[in-house]
Amino acid sequence: MRFVIALFIVFLLLATIVITSGSESVRLLVLPSARSAASLATIPAIQVPNTPTATALPVALPTALPTAFPTAFPTAFPTVLPTATRQHPYIPILMYHYVRVVDKAADPFGYDLSVTPAHFAAQIKWLRRAGYDMIQMSALADCIRSDSPCPAHAVAITFDDGYMDAYTNALPVLQKYSATATFYIIRGFVGRKAYMGWDEIRSLRSAGMEIGAHSISHVDLTRLSYDKAVEQIAHSGAEIAAQIGVPVWSFCYPSGRFNATIAKITRDAGYTSATTTIQDGPQDDLFTLPRVRVHGNMTQAKFQATVEAYPPRPPANRVNGF
């Protein structure tokens, strides 16, 4: 009996030790914070890899363009210069017919329309030495319309009718002094006696001269019906252009005769300018341009004084141009 009691006591002691050890194990797993600071210090630190912070992440790009734009843009843009200050120098337009020697007593009218080759050479030489830029009528029209700048010291040389001496006498002088001119051709007179043929006219064009139109038959345009006037004005330029292979931009009224209707037909036909026989006047309207007639009895001094009477100045009542 005593032996059984002793065994029972030993069994109780062993059970208490096992339970106590299990409880301690549980406490160590569930409550590690209950361990001492010294025991925690022995646990190796966990190495956590570096990760970018929130500020280091890339900013997302927009997925669409804005649907609205600022409304503060100007609704109109200023012009380069006000019209009042866009002025060009007055450009004298010289009018020639013949370059030949004529007996004044035998042909006074022809003499007045003619300049001798020697006088013409002296005039062109002086223009070159005086610093004038000799320009064509198409260039004059362009600069008055502000498409290109006008030379500050310019003059335009024009020849009416298309006489043969324009090719034989005038062209060599112009080429000698590196000058240019505009030659107005009467379409129906091409090839007639004393007039240039198409070969000469094409040679002028190949030499850098401008070819303009001077109607078909040199009639008074103001006395024609509307349709006949259109034919004389528009068809003459078209037919000349077909022969020389380049557009014809400049027109000259026969004998200087025109009116508002004729000027409108000329403009509507596609020309950029038209010249008259008006001696002096403003260059406001490109289809009523005045010209300075060079007379046969004009001395060199008179010629120079006539050209110099038109200094670089804006004409009165300017409407167009630079």
Side-chain angles (χ1 to χ4, degrees), residues 98 161-164 186 189-197 200:
Y98 297 95
D161 302 334
Y163 299 113
M164 180 62 78
I186 304 172
F189 291 6
V190 175
R192 287 188 182 184
K193 184 179 179 180
Y195 289 86
M196 291 184 288
E200 289 79 19

Side-chain angles (χ1 to χ4, degrees), residues 55-71:
T55 56
L57 294 174
V59 178
L61 296 175
T63 57
L65 292 175
T67 58
F69 292 92
T71 58

Side-chain angles (χ1 to χ4, degrees), residues 125-132 153 308:
K125 180 180 180 179
W126 175 79
L127 288 171
R128 177 60 68 203
R129 291 189 172 181
Y132 282 91
H153 206 48
E308 289 175 335

Side-chain angles (χ1 to χ4, degrees), residues 93-97 109 112-113 160 255 277-279 291-296 298 306:
I93 305 172
L94 305 183
M95 175 174 56
Y96 292 88
H97 286 80
F109 181 74
D112 186 61
L113 293 177
D160 288 11
S255 302
T277 56
I278 298 171
Q279 180 71 18
R291 289 188 295 172
V292 180
R293 183 186 295 272
V294 181
H295 297 277
M298 185 176 284
T306 299

Side-chain angles (χ1 to χ4, degrees), residues 83-102:
T83 302
T85 62
R86 293 180 64 80
Q87 299 170 337
H88 74 85
Y90 193 95
I91 301 175
I93 305 172
L94 305 183
M95 175 174 56
Y96 292 88
H97 286 80
Y98 297 95
V99 179
R100 61 179 182 171
V101 177
V102 176

Side-chain angles (χ1 to χ4, degrees), residues 118-306:
H119 286 168
F120 181 67
Q123 291 165 1
I124 301 301
K125 180 180 180 179
W126 175 79
L127 288 171
R128 177 60 68 203
R129 291 189 172 181
Y132 282 91
D133 290 310
M134 283 162 270
I135 65 174
Q136 299 174 355
M137 288 304 302
S138 56
L140 182 148
D142 284 345
C143 75
I144 289 181
R145 290 200 319 267
S146 303
D147 292 345
S148 60
C150 284
H153 206 48
V155 64
I157 299 172
T158 64
F159 287 86
D160 288 11
D161 302 334
Y163 299 113
M164 180 62 78
D165 55 65
Y167 174 75
T168 58
N169 296 337
L171 178 60
V173 174
L174 294 170
Q175 290 178 313
K176 179 179 179 180
Y177 294 102
S178 300
T180 190
T182 298
F183 295 82
Y184 295 115
I185 305 300
I186 304 172
R187 165 63 184 90
F189 291 6
V190 175
R192 287 188 182 184
K193 184 179 179 180
Y195 289 86
M196 291 184 288
W198 289 118
D199 288 343
E200 289 79 19
I201 295 171
R202 293 188 192 100
S203 294
L204 285 175
R205 181 67 189 96
S206 297
M209 304 298 146
E210 179 184 9
I211 307 300
H214 197 29
S215 80
I216 292 177
S217 54
H218 205 273
V219 295
D220 184 347
L221 300 175
T222 64
R223 295 181 176 272
L224 301 179
S225 67
Y226 183 88
D227 290 342
K228 289 294 184 182
V230 170
E231 181 181 357
Q232 288 281 337
I233 296 169
H235 290 190
S236 61
E239 292 173 12
I240 293 170
Q243 289 289 338
I244 65 176
V246 295
V248 173
W249 300 115
S250 305
F251 190 80
C252 176
Y253 302 120
S255 302
R257 300 285 296 172
F258 73 98
N259 55 29
T261 299
I262 297 303
K264 184 178 185 303
I265 292 172
T266 306
R267 182 183 292 105
D268 292 344
Y271 296 102
T272 59
S273 73
T275 51
T276 70
T277 56
I278 298 171
Q279 180 71 18
D280 194 7
Q283 295 179 334
D284 297 342
D285 190 339
L286 285 170
F287 293 88
T288 62
L289 291 172
R291 289 188 295 172
V292 180
R293 183 186 295 272
V294 181
H295 297 277
N297 63 353
M298 185 176 284
T299 64
Q300 181 65 21
K302 177 64 174 177
F303 174 82
Q304 294 177 195
T306 299

